[in-house]
Amino acid sequence: MFDLTGEEANKLGSILEGAYFESVDVDELTVPLGDAILEWVEIDEESPYAGVTLAESNLREETGATVIAIQRGEETIPNPGPETTIEVDDYLVTLGTREEQNRLLDLVDGTA
């Protein structure tokens, strides 16, 4: 038998359950993408890009961000081609800098 503080007991319980996660200081986090980040951008029925192919959308040229996948319900479309049509309720998985992502979000929302 041994004595544990409440925090130590919680941590031990989480480890034993397999649910223990180490917190990460995002200010000190480095990733191999440089300034690029991943975002999930939802396409709603108001979006001017619903029903448009990736080629017609010109999103990469307009923003600099790249659509690397589309989540469509339970289906994931990796590396969607230029002929892939963007549909209502799709989530575009995009890669780009914060500035590029903000431009893309403004275009998709129809506020740019």
Side-chain angles (χ1 to χ4, degrees), residues 58-105:
N58 213 25
L59 286 173
R60 186 176 195 184
E61 291 76 15
E62 294 285 332
T63 67
T66 301
V67 177
I68 61 171
I70 296 175
Q71 186 67 43
R72 182 171 292 153
E74 296 294 317
E75 177 187 13
T76 300
I77 304 167
N79 289 325
E83 73 288 345
T84 304
T85 300
I86 301 168
E87 297 180 6
V88 172
D89 296 328
D90 278 353
Y91 282 88
L92 306 181
V93 183
T94 59
L95 176 68
T97 64
R98 172 63 55 206
E99 182 179 293
E100 292 168 342
Q101 297 287 7
N102 288 338
R103 282 196 305 261
L104 184 134
L105 190 55

mmCIF file of all heavy atoms in Angstrom, residues 58-105:
data_model
loop_
_atom_site.group_PDB
_atom_site.id
_atom_site.type_symbol
_atom_site.label_atom_id
_atom_site.label_comp_id
_atom_site.label_asym_id
_atom_site.label_seq_id
_atom_site.Cartn_x
_atom_site.Cartn_y
_atom_site.Cartn_z
ATOM 1 N N ASN A 58 -10.535 27.163 -58.088
ATOM 2 C CA ASN A 58 -9.311 27.946 -58.144
ATOM 3 C C ASN A 58 -8.810 28.321 -56.735
ATOM 4 O O ASN A 58 -8.118 29.315 -56.559
ATOM 5 C CB ASN A 58 -9.526 29.202 -58.996
ATOM 6 C CG ASN A 58 -8.295 29.609 -59.754
ATOM 7 O OD1 ASN A 58 -7.429 28.789 -60.039
ATOM 8 N ND2 ASN A 58 -8.212 30.879 -60.072
ATOM 9 N N LEU A 59 -9.195 27.537 -55.726
ATOM 10 C CA LEU A 59 -8.857 27.863 -54.346
ATOM 11 C C LEU A 59 -7.351 27.938 -54.102
ATOM 12 O O LEU A 59 -6.885 28.835 -53.405
ATOM 13 C CB LEU A 59 -9.493 26.850 -53.382
ATOM 14 C CG LEU A 59 -10.994 26.983 -53.168
ATOM 15 C CD1 LEU A 59 -11.528 25.819 -52.336
ATOM 16 C CD2 LEU A 59 -11.325 28.311 -52.515
ATOM 17 N N ARG A 60 -6.607 27.016 -54.666
ATOM 18 C CA ARG A 60 -5.157 27.009 -54.431
ATOM 19 C C ARG A 60 -4.508 28.268 -54.994
ATOM 20 O O ARG A 60 -3.669 28.888 -54.354
ATOM 21 C CB ARG A 60 -4.540 25.762 -55.045
ATOM 22 C CG ARG A 60 -3.080 25.603 -54.717
ATOM 23 C CD ARG A 60 -2.558 24.318 -55.278
ATOM 24 N NE ARG A 60 -1.288 23.968 -54.710
ATOM 25 C CZ ARG A 60 -0.588 22.934 -55.087
ATOM 26 N NH1 ARG A 60 -1.044 22.123 -56.009
ATOM 27 N NH2 ARG A 60 0.561 22.685 -54.545
ATOM 28 N N GLU A 61 -4.902 28.644 -56.195
ATOM 29 C CA GLU A 61 -4.325 29.830 -56.819
ATOM 30 C C GLU A 61 -4.760 31.113 -56.099
ATOM 31 O O GLU A 61 -4.011 32.062 -55.988
ATOM 32 C CB GLU A 61 -4.705 29.897 -58.300
ATOM 33 C CG GLU A 61 -4.056 28.829 -59.167
ATOM 34 C CD GLU A 61 -4.689 27.442 -59.003
ATOM 35 O OE1 GLU A 61 -5.803 27.334 -58.448
ATOM 36 O OE2 GLU A 61 -4.047 26.458 -59.410
ATOM 37 N N GLU A 62 -6.012 31.118 -55.610
ATOM 38 C CA GLU A 62 -6.552 32.301 -54.933
ATOM 39 C C GLU A 62 -5.988 32.490 -53.528
ATOM 40 O O GLU A 62 -5.878 33.620 -53.061
ATOM 41 C CB GLU A 62 -8.081 32.212 -54.839
ATOM 42 C CG GLU A 62 -8.790 32.277 -56.168
ATOM 43 C CD GLU A 62 -8.832 33.679 -56.751
ATOM 44 O OE1 GLU A 62 -8.811 34.652 -55.974
ATOM 45 O OE2 GLU A 62 -8.876 33.784 -57.981
ATOM 46 N N THR A 63 -5.667 31.375 -52.852
ATOM 47 C CA THR A 63 -5.304 31.470 -51.435
ATOM 48 C C THR A 63 -3.897 30.982 -51.114
ATOM 49 O O THR A 63 -3.320 31.407 -50.124
ATOM 50 C CB THR A 63 -6.282 30.647 -50.577
ATOM 51 O OG1 THR A 63 -6.109 29.255 -50.875
ATOM 52 C CG2 THR A 63 -7.720 31.068 -50.817
ATOM 53 N N GLY A 64 -3.377 30.051 -51.891
ATOM 54 C CA GLY A 64 -2.097 29.420 -51.574
ATOM 55 C C GLY A 64 -2.274 28.147 -50.760
ATOM 56 O O GLY A 64 -1.346 27.357 -50.632
ATOM 57 N N ALA A 65 -3.457 27.935 -50.183
ATOM 58 C CA ALA A 65 -3.726 26.720 -49.404
ATOM 59 C C ALA A 65 -4.100 25.584 -50.346
ATOM 60 O O ALA A 65 -4.698 25.800 -51.395
ATOM 61 C CB ALA A 65 -4.856 26.972 -48.405
ATOM 62 N N THR A 66 -3.754 24.378 -49.952
ATOM 63 C CA THR A 66 -3.993 23.199 -50.782
ATOM 64 C C THR A 66 -5.015 22.283 -50.120
ATOM 65 O O THR A 66 -4.918 22.006 -48.926
ATOM 66 C CB THR A 66 -2.673 22.412 -50.961
ATOM 67 O OG1 THR A 66 -1.707 23.273 -51.562
ATOM 68 C CG2 THR A 66 -2.863 21.187 -51.833
ATOM 69 N N VAL A 67 -5.982 21.812 -50.900
ATOM 70 C CA VAL A 67 -6.940 20.818 -50.412
ATOM 71 C C VAL A 67 -6.259 19.460 -50.541
ATOM 72 O O VAL A 67 -6.007 18.992 -51.647
ATOM 73 C CB VAL A 67 -8.262 20.852 -51.219
ATOM 74 C CG1 VAL A 67 -9.210 19.762 -50.737
ATOM 75 C CG2 VAL A 67 -8.917 22.226 -51.124
ATOM 76 N N ILE A 68 -5.951 18.849 -49.398
ATOM 77 C CA ILE A 68 -5.236 17.572 -49.422
ATOM 78 C C ILE A 68 -6.176 16.381 -49.260
ATOM 79 O O ILE A 68 -5.791 15.251 -49.529
ATOM 80 C CB ILE A 68 -4.114 17.520 -48.372
ATOM 81 C CG1 ILE A 68 -4.679 17.683 -46.965
ATOM 82 C CG2 ILE A 68 -3.052 18.572 -48.672
ATOM 83 C CD1 ILE A 68 -3.663 17.438 -45.868
ATOM 84 N N ALA A 69 -7.409 16.636 -48.821
ATOM 85 C CA ALA A 69 -8.407 15.573 -48.691
ATOM 86 C C ALA A 69 -9.777 16.217 -48.536
ATOM 87 O O ALA A 69 -9.887 17.413 -48.227
ATOM 88 C CB ALA A 69 -8.108 14.683 -47.482
ATOM 89 N N ILE A 70 -10.803 15.427 -48.778
ATOM 90 C CA ILE A 70 -12.181 15.851 -48.532
ATOM 91 C C ILE A 70 -12.832 14.776 -47.679
ATOM 92 O O ILE A 70 -12.768 13.590 -48.008
ATOM 93 C CB ILE A 70 -12.971 16.042 -49.844
ATOM 94 C CG1 ILE A 70 -12.368 17.183 -50.664
ATOM 95 C CG2 ILE A 70 -14.445 16.304 -49.549
ATOM 96 C CD1 ILE A 70 -13.005 17.384 -52.027
ATOM 97 N N GLN A 71 -13.415 15.206 -46.567
ATOM 98 C CA GLN A 71 -14.182 14.290 -45.729
ATOM 99 C C GLN A 71 -15.641 14.457 -46.111
ATOM 100 O O GLN A 71 -16.211 15.529 -45.970
ATOM 101 C CB GLN A 71 -13.971 14.617 -44.248
ATOM 102 C CG GLN A 71 -14.612 13.627 -43.319
ATOM 103 C CD GLN A 71 -13.951 12.255 -43.393
ATOM 104 O OE1 GLN A 71 -12.735 12.147 -43.443
ATOM 105 N NE2 GLN A 71 -14.749 11.216 -43.413
ATOM 106 N N ARG A 72 -16.228 13.404 -46.618
ATOM 107 C CA ARG A 72 -17.617 13.422 -47.083
ATOM 108 C C ARG A 72 -18.371 12.333 -46.320
ATOM 109 O O ARG A 72 -18.320 11.163 -46.684
ATOM 110 C CB ARG A 72 -17.665 13.185 -48.581
ATOM 111 C CG ARG A 72 -19.056 13.229 -49.185
ATOM 112 C CD ARG A 72 -19.006 13.211 -50.699
ATOM 113 N NE ARG A 72 -18.433 14.453 -51.193
ATOM 114 C CZ ARG A 72 -17.778 14.579 -52.358
ATOM 115 N NH1 ARG A 72 -17.627 13.534 -53.145
ATOM 116 N NH2 ARG A 72 -17.286 15.749 -52.715
ATOM 117 N N GLY A 73 -19.035 12.730 -45.247
ATOM 118 C CA GLY A 73 -19.692 11.744 -44.399
ATOM 119 C C GLY A 73 -18.660 10.808 -43.821
ATOM 120 O O GLY A 73 -17.683 11.241 -43.223
ATOM 121 N N GLU A 74 -18.856 9.517 -44.012
ATOM 122 C CA GLU A 74 -17.915 8.511 -43.514
ATOM 123 C C GLU A 74 -16.743 8.293 -44.484
ATOM 124 O O GLU A 74 -15.775 7.620 -44.137
ATOM 125 C CB GLU A 74 -18.647 7.181 -43.301
ATOM 126 C CG GLU A 74 -19.726 7.248 -42.238
ATOM 127 C CD GLU A 74 -19.165 7.502 -40.849
ATOM 128 O OE1 GLU A 74 -18.142 6.887 -40.477
ATOM 129 O OE2 GLU A 74 -19.746 8.345 -40.138
ATOM 130 N N GLU A 75 -16.842 8.837 -45.680
ATOM 131 C CA GLU A 75 -15.826 8.630 -46.721
ATOM 132 C C GLU A 75 -14.774 9.728 -46.680
ATOM 133 O O GLU A 75 -15.090 10.902 -46.532
ATOM 134 C CB GLU A 75 -16.501 8.636 -48.094
ATOM 135 C CG GLU A 75 -15.541 8.497 -49.254
ATOM 136 C CD GLU A 75 -16.212 8.686 -50.605
ATOM 137 O OE1 GLU A 75 -17.360 9.155 -50.662
ATOM 138 O OE2 GLU A 75 -15.556 8.398 -51.605
ATOM 139 N N THR A 76 -13.513 9.319 -46.816
ATOM 140 C CA THR A 76 -12.420 10.269 -46.965
ATOM 141 C C THR A 76 -11.878 10.144 -48.375
ATOM 142 O O THR A 76 -11.563 9.041 -48.827
ATOM 143 C CB THR A 76 -11.291 9.984 -45.952
ATOM 144 O OG1 THR A 76 -11.822 10.082 -44.638
ATOM 145 C CG2 THR A 76 -10.160 10.987 -46.115
ATOM 146 N N ILE A 77 -11.794 11.269 -49.066
ATOM 147 C CA ILE A 77 -11.232 11.296 -50.412
ATOM 148 C C ILE A 77 -9.834 11.902 -50.300
ATOM 149 O O ILE A 77 -9.678 13.122 -50.197
ATOM 150 C CB ILE A 77 -12.103 12.145 -51.361
ATOM 151 C CG1 ILE A 77 -13.540 11.609 -51.367
ATOM 152 C CG2 ILE A 77 -11.507 12.177 -52.763
ATOM 153 C CD1 ILE A 77 -14.540 12.543 -52.022
ATOM 154 N N PRO A 78 -8.790 11.060 -50.289
ATOM 155 C CA PRO A 78 -7.428 11.589 -50.187
ATOM 156 C C PRO A 78 -6.949 12.106 -51.540
ATOM 157 O O PRO A 78 -7.341 11.579 -52.581
ATOM 158 C CB PRO A 78 -6.611 10.379 -49.747
ATOM 159 C CG PRO A 78 -7.361 9.202 -50.276
ATOM 160 C CD PRO A 78 -8.819 9.609 -50.305
ATOM 161 N N ASN A 79 -6.142 13.139 -51.524
ATOM 162 C CA ASN A 79 -5.595 13.714 -52.759
ATOM 163 C C ASN A 79 -6.659 13.874 -53.839
ATOM 164 O O ASN A 79 -6.537 13.313 -54.928
ATOM 165 C CB ASN A 79 -4.449 12.867 -53.302
ATOM 166 C CG ASN A 79 -3.215 12.955 -52.452
ATOM 167 O OD1 ASN A 79 -2.921 14.003 -51.891
ATOM 168 N ND2 ASN A 79 -2.504 11.853 -52.333
ATOM 169 N N PRO A 80 -7.714 14.628 -53.560
ATOM 170 C CA PRO A 80 -8.774 14.768 -54.565
ATOM 171 C C PRO A 80 -8.241 15.432 -55.832
ATOM 172 O O PRO A 80 -7.442 16.371 -55.771
ATOM 173 C CB PRO A 80 -9.809 15.651 -53.861
ATOM 174 C CG PRO A 80 -9.036 16.400 -52.832
ATOM 175 C CD PRO A 80 -7.933 15.487 -52.397
ATOM 176 N N GLY A 81 -8.663 14.906 -56.961
ATOM 177 C CA GLY A 81 -8.224 15.452 -58.239
ATOM 178 C C GLY A 81 -8.982 16.716 -58.604
ATOM 179 O O GLY A 81 -9.992 17.058 -57.972
ATOM 180 N N PRO A 82 -8.533 17.414 -59.636
ATOM 181 C CA PRO A 82 -9.168 18.666 -60.039
ATOM 182 C C PRO A 82 -10.618 18.478 -60.482
ATOM 183 O O PRO A 82 -11.414 19.406 -60.420
ATOM 184 C CB PRO A 82 -8.294 19.171 -61.182
ATOM 185 C CG PRO A 82 -7.481 18.005 -61.628
ATOM 186 C CD PRO A 82 -7.387 17.072 -60.477
ATOM 187 N N GLU A 83 -10.983 17.264 -60.870
ATOM 188 C CA GLU A 83 -12.350 16.989 -61.330
ATOM 189 C C GLU A 83 -13.312 16.707 -60.170
ATOM 190 O O GLU A 83 -14.526 16.607 -60.375
ATOM 191 C CB GLU A 83 -12.356 15.803 -62.292
ATOM 192 C CG GLU A 83 -12.128 14.446 -61.646
ATOM 193 C CD GLU A 83 -10.702 14.167 -61.152
ATOM 194 O OE1 GLU A 83 -9.758 14.893 -61.521
ATOM 195 O OE2 GLU A 83 -10.542 13.207 -60.385
ATOM 196 N N THR A 84 -12.781 16.609 -58.935
ATOM 197 C CA THR A 84 -13.610 16.314 -57.762
ATOM 198 C C THR A 84 -14.530 17.490 -57.458
ATOM 199 O O THR A 84 -14.081 18.633 -57.355
ATOM 200 C CB THR A 84 -12.735 16.009 -56.539
ATOM 201 O OG1 THR A 84 -11.848 14.936 -56.855
ATOM 202 C CG2 THR A 84 -13.580 15.636 -55.338
ATOM 203 N N THR A 85 -15.816 17.208 -57.339
ATOM 204 C CA THR A 85 -16.802 18.249 -57.042
ATOM 205 C C THR A 85 -16.919 18.435 -55.535
ATOM 206 O O THR A 85 -17.022 17.468 -54.782
ATOM 207 C CB THR A 85 -18.180 17.880 -57.630
ATOM 208 O OG1 THR A 85 -18.039 17.756 -59.055
ATOM 209 C CG2 THR A 85 -19.219 18.947 -57.319
ATOM 210 N N ILE A 86 -16.909 19.681 -55.105
ATOM 211 C CA ILE A 86 -17.104 20.041 -53.700
ATOM 212 C C ILE A 86 -18.604 20.026 -53.433
ATOM 213 O O ILE A 86 -19.365 20.654 -54.172
ATOM 214 C CB ILE A 86 -16.518 21.435 -53.413
ATOM 215 C CG1 ILE A 86 -15.022 21.466 -53.732
ATOM 216 C CG2 ILE A 86 -16.791 21.849 -51.972
ATOM 217 C CD1 ILE A 86 -14.422 22.875 -53.754
ATOM 218 N N GLU A 87 -19.030 19.301 -52.410
ATOM 219 C CA GLU A 87 -20.459 19.164 -52.113
ATOM 220 C C GLU A 87 -20.812 19.800 -50.768
ATOM 221 O O GLU A 87 -19.943 19.954 -49.902
ATOM 222 C CB GLU A 87 -20.849 17.688 -52.095
ATOM 223 C CG GLU A 87 -20.662 16.998 -53.434
ATOM 224 C CD GLU A 87 -21.044 15.531 -53.407
ATOM 225 O OE1 GLU A 87 -21.561 15.049 -52.366
ATOM 226 O OE2 GLU A 87 -20.820 14.853 -54.422
ATOM 227 N N VAL A 88 -22.085 20.153 -50.619
ATOM 228 C CA VAL A 88 -22.588 20.663 -49.339
ATOM 229 C C VAL A 88 -22.314 19.617 -48.259
ATOM 230 O O VAL A 88 -22.458 18.419 -48.497
ATOM 231 C CB VAL A 88 -24.099 20.980 -49.429
ATOM 232 C CG1 VAL A 88 -24.669 21.333 -48.061
ATOM 233 C CG2 VAL A 88 -24.348 22.101 -50.417
ATOM 234 N N ASP A 89 -21.878 20.056 -47.101
ATOM 235 C CA ASP A 89 -21.536 19.241 -45.938
ATOM 236 C C ASP A 89 -20.191 18.542 -46.052
ATOM 237 O O ASP A 89 -19.823 17.774 -45.152
ATOM 238 C CB ASP A 89 -22.634 18.214 -45.593
ATOM 239 C CG ASP A 89 -23.929 18.874 -45.172
ATOM 240 O OD1 ASP A 89 -23.875 19.970 -44.567
ATOM 241 O OD2 ASP A 89 -25.003 18.303 -45.452
ATOM 242 N N ASP A 90 -19.445 18.789 -47.118
ATOM 243 C CA ASP A 90 -18.076 18.304 -47.191
ATOM 244 C C ASP A 90 -17.220 19.085 -46.204
ATOM 245 O O ASP A 90 -17.514 20.244 -45.880
ATOM 246 C CB ASP A 90 -17.472 18.543 -48.592
ATOM 247 C CG ASP A 90 -17.862 17.494 -49.601
ATOM 248 O OD1 ASP A 90 -18.499 16.492 -49.238
ATOM 249 O OD2 ASP A 90 -17.524 17.694 -50.792
ATOM 250 N N TYR A 91 -16.155 18.446 -45.746
ATOM 251 C CA TYR A 91 -15.106 19.135 -45.013
ATOM 252 C C TYR A 91 -13.860 19.074 -45.880
ATOM 253 O O TYR A 91 -13.393 17.985 -46.217
ATOM 254 C CB TYR A 91 -14.827 18.469 -43.667
ATOM 255 C CG TYR A 91 -15.852 18.812 -42.619
ATOM 256 C CD1 TYR A 91 -17.006 18.044 -42.483
ATOM 257 C CD2 TYR A 91 -15.669 19.898 -41.772
ATOM 258 C CE1 TYR A 91 -17.952 18.361 -41.526
ATOM 259 C CE2 TYR A 91 -16.620 20.214 -40.816
ATOM 260 C CZ TYR A 91 -17.751 19.443 -40.697
ATOM 261 O OH TYR A 91 -18.693 19.762 -39.746
ATOM 262 N N LEU A 92 -13.338 20.232 -46.243
ATOM 263 C CA LEU A 92 -12.089 20.288 -46.977
ATOM 264 C C LEU A 92 -10.956 20.238 -45.963
ATOM 265 O O LEU A 92 -10.917 21.044 -45.025
ATOM 266 C CB LEU A 92 -11.988 21.577 -47.783
ATOM 267 C CG LEU A 92 -13.124 21.909 -48.743
ATOM 268 C CD1 LEU A 92 -12.826 23.210 -49.476
ATOM 269 C CD2 LEU A 92 -13.366 20.779 -49.715
ATOM 270 N N VAL A 93 -10.053 19.295 -46.125
ATOM 271 C CA VAL A 93 -8.869 19.224 -45.279
ATOM 272 C C VAL A 93 -7.784 19.972 -46.048
ATOM 273 O O VAL A 93 -7.411 19.570 -47.151
ATOM 274 C CB VAL A 93 -8.453 17.771 -45.001
ATOM 275 C CG1 VAL A 93 -7.254 17.734 -44.049
ATOM 276 C CG2 VAL A 93 -9.622 16.968 -44.436
ATOM 277 N N THR A 94 -7.341 21.089 -45.472
ATOM 278 C CA THR A 94 -6.453 21.984 -46.208
ATOM 279 C C THR A 94 -5.128 22.180 -45.479
ATOM 280 O O THR A 94 -5.052 22.103 -44.258
ATOM 281 C CB THR A 94 -7.125 23.344 -46.424
ATOM 282 O OG1 THR A 94 -7.446 23.927 -45.164
ATOM 283 C CG2 THR A 94 -8.392 23.204 -47.254
ATOM 284 N N LEU A 95 -4.100 22.455 -46.262
ATOM 285 C CA LEU A 95 -2.760 22.703 -45.747
ATOM 286 C C LEU A 95 -2.315 24.065 -46.232
ATOM 287 O O LEU A 95 -2.383 24.348 -47.438
ATOM 288 C CB LEU A 95 -1.800 21.614 -46.255
ATOM 289 C CG LEU A 95 -0.334 21.774 -45.892
ATOM 290 C CD1 LEU A 95 -0.135 21.600 -44.393
ATOM 291 C CD2 LEU A 95 0.506 20.769 -46.665
ATOM 292 N N GLY A 96 -1.894 24.908 -45.308
ATOM 293 C CA GLY A 96 -1.412 26.231 -45.677
ATOM 294 C C GLY A 96 -1.039 27.027 -44.441
ATOM 295 O O GLY A 96 -1.269 26.586 -43.314
ATOM 296 N N THR A 97 -0.495 28.195 -44.649
ATOM 297 C CA THR A 97 -0.158 29.059 -43.521
ATOM 298 C C THR A 97 -1.440 29.616 -42.915
ATOM 299 O O THR A 97 -2.517 29.512 -43.514
ATOM 300 C CB THR A 97 0.727 30.237 -43.967
ATOM 301 O OG1 THR A 97 -0.033 31.054 -44.863
ATOM 302 C CG2 THR A 97 2.018 29.770 -44.627
ATOM 303 N N ARG A 98 -1.344 30.207 -41.748
ATOM 304 C CA ARG A 98 -2.524 30.799 -41.102
ATOM 305 C C ARG A 98 -3.152 31.839 -42.030
ATOM 306 O O ARG A 98 -4.364 31.888 -42.192
ATOM 307 C CB ARG A 98 -2.117 31.418 -39.763
ATOM 308 C CG ARG A 98 -3.185 32.235 -39.075
ATOM 309 C CD ARG A 98 -4.427 31.487 -38.658
ATOM 310 N NE ARG A 98 -4.144 30.351 -37.829
ATOM 311 C CZ ARG A 98 -4.942 29.291 -37.743
ATOM 312 N NH1 ARG A 98 -6.069 29.240 -38.423
ATOM 313 N NH2 ARG A 98 -4.638 28.274 -36.976
ATOM 314 N N GLU A 99 -2.351 32.659 -42.668
ATOM 315 C CA GLU A 99 -2.864 33.686 -43.588
ATOM 316 C C GLU A 99 -3.596 33.052 -44.770
ATOM 317 O O GLU A 99 -4.679 33.493 -45.145
ATOM 318 C CB GLU A 99 -1.707 34.560 -44.076
ATOM 319 C CG GLU A 99 -2.128 35.685 -44.986
ATOM 320 C CD GLU A 99 -0.939 36.526 -45.416
ATOM 321 O OE1 GLU A 99 -0.347 37.204 -44.555
ATOM 322 O OE2 GLU A 99 -0.610 36.483 -46.622
ATOM 323 N N GLU A 100 -2.996 32.007 -45.349
ATOM 324 C CA GLU A 100 -3.639 31.313 -46.474
ATOM 325 C C GLU A 100 -4.952 30.675 -46.037
ATOM 326 O O GLU A 100 -5.953 30.738 -46.761
ATOM 327 C CB GLU A 100 -2.686 30.252 -47.041
ATOM 328 C CG GLU A 100 -1.472 30.835 -47.727
ATOM 329 C CD GLU A 100 -0.392 29.818 -48.025
ATOM 330 O OE1 GLU A 100 -0.402 28.712 -47.424
ATOM 331 O OE2 GLU A 100 0.480 30.118 -48.858
ATOM 332 N N GLN A 101 -4.951 30.080 -44.852
ATOM 333 C CA GLN A 101 -6.164 29.442 -44.337
ATOM 334 C C GLN A 101 -7.269 30.476 -44.107
ATOM 335 O O GLN A 101 -8.435 30.221 -44.409
ATOM 336 C CB GLN A 101 -5.873 28.698 -43.021
ATOM 337 C CG GLN A 101 -4.895 27.549 -43.154
ATOM 338 C CD GLN A 101 -5.480 26.331 -43.841
ATOM 339 O OE1 GLN A 101 -6.584 26.333 -44.362
ATOM 340 N NE2 GLN A 101 -4.728 25.249 -43.848
ATOM 341 N N ASN A 102 -6.905 31.639 -43.591
ATOM 342 C CA ASN A 102 -7.898 32.694 -43.373
ATOM 343 C C ASN A 102 -8.505 33.175 -44.692
ATOM 344 O O ASN A 102 -9.715 33.396 -44.784
ATOM 345 C CB ASN A 102 -7.291 33.859 -42.603
ATOM 346 C CG ASN A 102 -7.044 33.528 -41.148
ATOM 347 O OD1 ASN A 102 -7.657 32.618 -40.584
ATOM 348 N ND2 ASN A 102 -6.126 34.248 -40.526
ATOM 349 N N ARG A 103 -7.671 33.330 -45.728
ATOM 350 C CA ARG A 103 -8.179 33.723 -47.051
ATOM 351 C C ARG A 103 -9.122 32.658 -47.601
ATOM 352 O O ARG A 103 -10.185 32.969 -48.139
ATOM 353 C CB ARG A 103 -7.024 33.966 -48.024
ATOM 354 C CG ARG A 103 -6.333 35.294 -47.851
ATOM 355 C CD ARG A 103 -5.483 35.668 -49.054
ATOM 356 N NE ARG A 103 -4.505 34.663 -49.421
ATOM 357 C CZ ARG A 103 -3.209 34.690 -49.092
ATOM 358 N NH1 ARG A 103 -2.740 35.685 -48.371
ATOM 359 N NH2 ARG A 103 -2.398 33.748 -49.475
ATOM 360 N N LEU A 104 -8.725 31.387 -47.453
ATOM 361 C CA LEU A 104 -9.565 30.293 -47.935
ATOM 362 C C LEU A 104 -10.906 30.288 -47.209
ATOM 363 O O LEU A 104 -11.954 30.175 -47.847
ATOM 364 C CB LEU A 104 -8.848 28.953 -47.736
ATOM 365 C CG LEU A 104 -9.600 27.757 -48.299
ATOM 366 C CD1 LEU A 104 -8.656 26.864 -49.087
ATOM 367 C CD2 LEU A 104 -10.267 26.970 -47.214
ATOM 368 N N LEU A 105 -10.890 30.450 -45.900
ATOM 369 C CA LEU A 105 -12.127 30.461 -45.126
ATOM 370 C C LEU A 105 -13.041 31.609 -45.552
ATOM 371 O O LEU A 105 -14.246 31.423 -45.704
ATOM 372 C CB LEU A 105 -11.812 30.553 -43.638
ATOM 373 C CG LEU A 105 -12.962 30.342 -42.681
ATOM 374 C CD1 LEU A 105 -13.670 29.017 -42.919
ATOM 375 C CD2 LEU A 105 -12.493 30.443 -41.245
#
